[in-house]
Amino acid sequence: MSQPTTITISAQVLAELEPVAAESHESIEAVVNAAIAEYLRALKKRQWREQLAKQYEELAAMWKELAEDLAEEKWLVVENDSLSKFEQSLAG
């Protein structure tokens, strides 16, 4: 649902925007709406990347602990047991 909102666009931006709108056979409003939607998508994507980077850093900080657990086979016990049984079935 659209809601009327007044914004101010600088004369320079408007001068650059008008040929784009004319070339694409769209209204300035449509071009501005598309630009804002794209900006919001890019912002969300950047936020996801920042969150992912933070989570990678947290995982890296935990890696020593995880590596020790893996070496002692404390982690994924069920999966390790299944893998061992499968490997034994291949050898037998």
Side-chain angles (χ1 to χ4, degrees):
M1 175 186 279
S2 296
Q3 178 177 343
T5 303
T6 302
I7 61 168
T8 302
I9 300 175
S10 70
Q12 181 183 355
V13 171
L14 185 59
E16 293 180 42
L17 186 57
E18 287 172 334
V20 172
E23 184 178 312
S24 64
H25 304 290
E26 295 181 296
S27 67
I28 291 176
E29 179 182 348
V31 174
V32 169
N33 278 324
I36 292 170
E38 181 58 32
Y39 174 82
L40 293 173
R41 278 192 295 275
L43 179 63
K44 190 63 152 173
K45 193 174 186 180
R46 187 168 49 250
Q47 290 170 340
W48 287 340
R49 284 183 179 158
E50 289 170 1
Q51 181 181 3
L52 187 58
K54 180 183 175 192
Q55 290 172 343
Y56 279 143
E57 288 174 10
E58 290 170 357
L59 183 59
M62 293 174 24
W63 180 249
K64 182 178 178 184
E65 180 183 337
L66 289 174
E68 291 170 359
D69 287 351
L70 284 171
E72 296 172 11
E73 295 189 2
K74 292 181 182 176
W75 197 53
L76 301 174
V77 175
V78 173
E79 289 82 351
N80 287 338
D81 185 47
S82 296
L83 181 59
S84 294
K85 289 179 181 177
F86 178 70
E87 288 172 345
Q88 289 172 359
S89 71
L90 292 176

